[in-house]
């Protein structure tokens, strides 16, 4: 029986969603194969939380824990931290230094995909279309006329490195821009302002399933709000239709683009890319490498549509993360 640490929580506004995701992984992980341990990662503490909610501090020197005088080490880490430090490469680099396998992509890919402007810049030469963008760093002069001239109105103001739609605003007038920028700066010191894309929004999950890069059934997103914000994502203010109501040709086209991005970036683990299809052309918004894993989240919905249970989905992630030991036996 392998010891699996399920890390959850994190240092960002997404920690509550991460705790739900991590507990879903804990609930559905195959207990006949694995000893599962819930590990809460917060700025003020890293702790193992047992079945009675008792807490035991993690030794950060080797990521182990002492329980009743016994030291427990981990064979693999299941990463369920949305946002920093689980989705931006920090935990991935830490576990690589400790030589502990983990289920997410490598640290470079995590850092790159977490930075929307860098991700889209890297993918642009591969023919992947995006919205028109304008970038700001905290302290930059805000030239409203210049921004509106480049991206138009309405537009979206987003933190460059944040998820779960925290800090995002849809701006309809130039007067609203400074307020939206301040809201975004509360989440991140870098901002991306994008032109409004009027089209069909879809979410495309790509995973390595049993050694094959696999595009999951695509989800169409229809928000009751102005856009797919936090309320729409997590409080039922949207319709999520899987498979998406798009043509077979468009399903193949957007799936191939998401798969190409996964392969170009040498991804591992889960990815969920968001697109808006405008006039028959998919435009990528972002890629999430630690997507939500709650029972209502998109990747679990898509896996279910593909006939993959949550138990299989999580087992697959662990089995791909743990390297096979070479067989040194000789046949005489």
């Amino acid at each position: 029986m392998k010891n699996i640490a399920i890390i959850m929580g994190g240092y960002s506004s997404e920690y509550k969603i991460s705790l739900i995701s991590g507990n879903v992984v804990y609930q559905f992980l195959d207990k006949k194969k694995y000893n599962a341990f819930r590990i809460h990662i917060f700025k003020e503490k890293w702790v193992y939380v047992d079945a009675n909610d008792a807490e035991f501090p993690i030794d950060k020197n080797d990521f182990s824990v002492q329980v009743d005088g016994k030291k427990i080490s981990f064979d693999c880490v299941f990463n369920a931290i949305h946002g920093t430090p689980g989705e931006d490469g920090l935990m991935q680099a830490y576990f690589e230094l400790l030589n502990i396998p983990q289920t997410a992509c490598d640290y470079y890919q995590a850092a790159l995909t977490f930075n929307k402007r860098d991700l889209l810049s890297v993918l642009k030469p591969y023919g992947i279309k995006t919205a028109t963008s304008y970038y700001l760093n905290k302290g930059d002069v805000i030239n409203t006329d210049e921004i509106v001239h480049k991206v138009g109105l309405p537009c979206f103001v987003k933190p460059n490195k944040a998820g779960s739609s925290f800090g995002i605003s849809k701006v309809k007038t130039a007067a609203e821009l400074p307020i939206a920028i301040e809201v975004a700066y509360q989440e991140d010191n870098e901002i991306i302002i994008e032109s409004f894309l009027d089209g069909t929004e879809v979410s495309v999950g790509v995973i390595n399933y049993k050694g094959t890069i696999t595009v999951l059934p695509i989800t169409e997103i229809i928000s009751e709000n102005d856009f797919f914000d936090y309320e729409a994502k997590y409080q039922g203010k949207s319709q999520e239709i899987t498979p998406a109501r798009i043509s077979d040709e468009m399903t193949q086209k957007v799936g191939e683009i998401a798969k190409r991005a996964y392969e170009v970036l040498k991804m591992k683990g889960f990815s969920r890319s968001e697109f808006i299809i405008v006039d028959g052309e998919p435009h990528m918004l972002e890629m999430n490498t630690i997507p939500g894993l709650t029972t209502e989240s998109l990747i679990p919905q898509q896996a279910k549509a593909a006939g993959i249970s949550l138990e299989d989905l999580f087992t697959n992630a662990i089995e791909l993360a743990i390297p096979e030991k070479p067989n040194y036996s000789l046949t005489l």
Side-chain angles (χ1 to χ4, degrees):
M1 296 272 286
K2 294 192 182 326
N3 292 336
I4 309 298
I6 304 165
I7 59 172
M8 60 189 87
Y11 304 166
S12 76
S13 301
E14 296 183 82
Y15 78 92
K16 289 181 182 177
I17 304 300
S18 172
L19 291 174
I20 298 171
S21 289
N23 277 297
V24 168
V25 175
Y26 178 75
Q27 178 186 347
F28 285 94
L29 205 62
D30 188 345
K31 304 302 192 300
K32 295 181 188 134
K33 285 186 177 180
Y34 307 117
N35 299 313
F37 296 81
R38 294 178 299 166
I39 310 294
H40 288 189
I41 304 288
F42 295 115
K43 282 184 178 177
E44 66 277 11
K45 62 182 179 182
W46 289 22
V47 292
Y48 158 55
V49 181
D50 73 8
N52 300 313
D53 291 332
E55 296 184 352
F56 302 84
I58 294 292
D59 184 344
K60 294 181 184 178
N61 292 299
D62 60 1
F63 199 71
S64 65
V65 63
Q66 291 271 351
V67 179
D68 298 330
K70 180 183 175 184
K71 179 177 178 176
I72 298 171
S73 299
F74 301 103
D75 299 293
C76 182
V77 173
F78 196 110
N79 188 345
I81 296 179
H82 314 311
T84 189
E87 198 165 6
D88 58 359
L90 295 178
M91 296 303 293
Q92 289 87 337
Y94 167 72
F95 289 124
E96 182 158 327
L97 287 170
L98 293 178
N99 199 28
I100 300 174
Q102 54 90 35
T103 56
C105 60
D106 291 335
Y107 66 90
Y108 171 74
Q109 285 78 2
L112 176 65
T113 52
F114 196 65
N115 187 309
K116 296 181 183 74
R117 67 171 76 166
D118 290 356
L119 167 70
L120 299 176
S121 297
V122 166
L123 293 178
K124 195 171 183 180
Y126 294 91
I128 296 176
K129 293 180 169 58
T130 65
T132 302
S133 301
Y134 186 101
Y135 304 131
L136 281 173
N137 295 324
K138 197 157 193 176
D140 287 351
V141 174
I142 299 169
N143 187 326
T144 302
D145 291 339
E146 188 177 282
I147 294 169
V148 172
H149 178 73
K150 181 165 187 189
V151 303
L153 290 170
C155 63
F156 284 97
V157 179
K158 306 176 179 180
N160 188 43
K161 305 185 299 293
S164 293
S165 297
F166 285 108
I168 298 182
S169 303
K170 184 177 181 181
V171 171
K172 298 174 182 174
T173 67
E176 295 172 356
L177 258 176
I179 300 164
I181 288 168
E182 282 309 308
V183 168
Y185 275 144
Q186 290 173 20
E187 296 293 331
D188 189 19
N189 60 6
E190 298 176 0
I191 287 176
I192 181 169
I193 303 173
E194 293 181 329
S195 60
F196 172 63
L197 296 173
D198 190 7
T200 302
E201 184 167 356
V202 296
S203 184
V204 189
V206 181
I207 61 173
N208 183 333
Y209 188 64
K210 298 184 178 178
T212 301
I213 308 302
T214 302
V215 179
L216 296 171
I218 295 169
T219 301
E220 178 184 354
I221 295 164
I222 304 167
S223 176
E224 292 177 22
N225 296 345
D226 243 0
F227 62 98
F228 196 44
D229 59 7
Y230 182 89
E231 194 178 45
K233 279 184 179 177
Y234 301 113
Q235 296 174 0
K237 295 287 187 177
S238 67
Q239 291 183 60
E240 297 162 3
I241 302 167
T242 309
R245 300 170 303 176
I246 54 179
S247 68
D248 291 345
E249 292 78 12
M250 183 53 64
T251 297
Q252 184 173 352
K253 185 172 187 176
V254 70
E256 285 177 351
I257 293 170
K259 184 179 180 184
R260 187 189 319 151
Y262 190 101
E263 292 173 336
V264 161
L265 298 174
K266 297 181 172 61
M267 286 291 299
K268 296 177 184 174
F270 301 99
S271 87
R272 199 193 72 223
S273 298
E274 318 302 333
F275 294 87
I276 294 182
I277 302 166
V278 182
D279 298 327
E281 289 295 337
H283 292 65
M284 181 182 270
L285 301 178
E286 63 181 8
M287 178 188 286
N288 301 283
T289 61
I290 312 287
L293 295 172
T294 72
T295 50
E296 294 80 25
S297 295
L298 296 179
I299 287 285
Q301 284 185 41
Q302 294 171 0
K304 184 178 179 181
I308 302 170
S309 69
L310 286 180
E311 184 178 295
D312 287 344
L313 189 69
F314 300 151
T315 296
N316 178 73
I318 291 167
E319 287 182 346
L320 288 173
I322 298 176
E324 290 184 14
K325 292 181 180 178
N327 184 357
Y328 293 114
S329 62
L330 297 175
T331 303
L332 299 177

